[in-house]
Each structure stands twice: as structure tokens, then as C-alpha cells.
Amino acid sequence: SAYASFSNSFLPVAGQDFAGAYFKPETGRQWESGLKYVQGGITATAAVFDLRRRNVTTSDPDHTGYSIQTGEQRARGLELEAAADLKAGLKLSSAYAYTKTEVTRDTNPRLIGKPLNLTPRHSFSLWANWRLPQLPALTLGAGLRHVSQQRGSYPFTLPAYTLTDASISYTASAWRLTAGVKNLFDRNYYAGAINANVVSPGMPRSYNLTLKYFF
């Protein structure tokens, strides 16, 4: 099946310009179109999108310390997802996103055409669940998450990283117990940043235990 969607959005912005006028809300406009496929134990989707953001506050070139709303930004990309229910209790799911961002209007001409701060161009995930044939109540899970290099416009970059997750679950007739671990190998990475001096480290190895009851 094929689909298409279009949406408008707004986001209030606090503050005033040099003349004392309150800032207008930022506006967003997005369109998306794609395909969805289902056949047997296989599902897949593919989508392309274009998102434009307007009324972005930028530095006022005539009044230091003030801002004006002349900025515009754009994000375009592709998203792919697929899942397969294979034989012998094996299930696979994966997702990939390609996102190209750029500043299309700014009072600083050096920023025009540059990517938006810290938006990865590529991101990918893969997850596998395996229900043991000898013990059908027991399910093992493992997967990868990859984020490509993230660039800032000042400029600085955050390196790419790949993380491994795992889980084990036991399912009874009325409940399920799942134990999971994220960042299995306790890799050091940077998840984001405000600027070159304020960088956020990623989560270290973490554990979770979940109990679900069905009724």
C-alpha cells in the first residue's frame, strides 16, 4: 500500500526583539510519502520526508545581544524498516534512517548550507529474538544500535558509535519476566552536546528488569 501525509505545526518562542515586539511562534511544514508491504511473516516500510522550519531566531546583525526571526532550516531524508518472522523461532527487525539537514537562511552567511548542529546523517538498528525450540517459554534477544558522526556548526564533531544490547525473557500463561542490559560492553560515547564546551556522555552499561501481567 502507498500513503502520503502533510502537516503544519507551530512552537511558541519566548523573548522579544530589539524593538520590544514578542517573537512569533516557529512554524513547521512537513510532507511524507511511502510504501508499506506485508506478506506472510515479512513486513517492510519505506518513506521519504521533507521538513521545513521557519521563524527561527538568529542573531540581530544590527543590535548585539538581540535576536530576530529570519532563520530557516530544512531536513530531508529516507526511513526504512523491515521485520521478518523466520523459522525455528527466530524474529528479526531492523531500521535505517538517512537525514540530511541544512541551514537555508541565517544572518550569519557562514552557516548557510551547513548541517544543523549534531544531527547524525545515518542511524541504524538491528534486533533479533530467538525462542528456544527446547524451551519455548524462554526467549533470547540481542541487537546493535549505530549512530554516525554528528557535526556541529561552530565547528566540532562527535564521533560515531555502535552499541550492543541483550535481553532474556520467560513467558508464562499470564505473565512475562524480562531482564535486559543496554550498552553491553560498557562503551564510552557522546550522545549529544549543547556546544563544544558542554558535551553529554552517553549512558554506561545499564540493567533493567520488567514483569508484565496479562489479564
Side-chain angles (χ1 to χ4, degrees):
S1 61
Y3 75 94
S5 67
F6 174 82
S7 62
N8 285 317
S9 63
F10 71 93
L11 178 68
V13 178
Q16 298 170 277
D17 61 16
F18 179 78
Y22 289 99
F23 290 134
K24 300 177 181 179
E26 288 185 0
T27 61
R29 178 172 295 181
Q30 176 178 324
W31 65 262
E32 179 179 331
S33 62
L35 299 172
K36 296 183 178 181
Y37 174 85
V38 179
Q39 180 65 44
I42 298 176
T43 61
T45 62
V48 292
F49 63 89
D50 184 291
L51 174 62
R52 297 173 187 266
R53 181 184 175 199
R54 294 185 171 93
N55 290 346
V56 179
T57 54
T58 60
S59 299
D60 187 337
D62 299 321
H63 304 97
T64 303
Y66 289 87
S67 298
I68 56 177
Q69 288 186 284
T70 60
E72 292 184 359
Q73 301 172 351
R74 180 172 64 190
R76 295 181 292 178
L78 167 71
E79 294 180 341
L80 302 174
E81 294 184 9
D85 191 349
L86 306 177
K87 297 180 180 180
L90 181 63
K91 293 183 179 181
L92 299 175
S93 61
S94 62
Y96 168 77
Y98 170 85
T99 307
K100 182 180 180 181
T101 64
E102 63 176 326
V103 177
T104 54
R105 181 181 294 178
D106 198 283
T107 54
N108 184 351
R110 293 179 300 176
L111 298 181
I112 297 177
K114 295 291 184 66
L116 301 184
N117 266 347
L118 305 173
T119 303
R121 183 68 61 91
H122 307 277
S123 59
F124 172 78
S125 65
L126 175 65
W127 185 262
N129 275 330
W130 182 41
R131 179 172 292 180
L132 301 182
Q134 301 83 357
L135 299 170
L138 196 64
T139 302
L140 303 179
L144 298 173
R145 292 177 285 143
H146 175 78
V147 175
S148 68
Q149 184 184 72
Q150 302 177 64
R151 293 183 178 181
S153 59
Y154 286 109
F156 67 98
T157 61
L158 299 182
Y161 61 87
T162 302
L163 305 178
T164 303
D165 306 324
S167 70
I168 182 171
S169 64
Y170 182 88
T171 304
S173 58
W175 54 272
R176 178 187 297 138
L177 181 65
T178 302
V181 55
K182 292 186 177 182
N183 194 4
L184 178 64
F185 300 110
D186 201 22
R187 179 172 180 177
N188 294 323
Y189 66 100
Y190 300 106
I194 297 176
N195 53 50
N197 299 315
V198 184
V199 182
S200 301
M203 288 288 292
R205 183 191 296 121
S206 60
Y207 305 89
N208 63 78
L209 185 66
T210 304
L211 175 63
K212 292 185 177 180
Y213 179 76
F214 310 107
F215 58 90

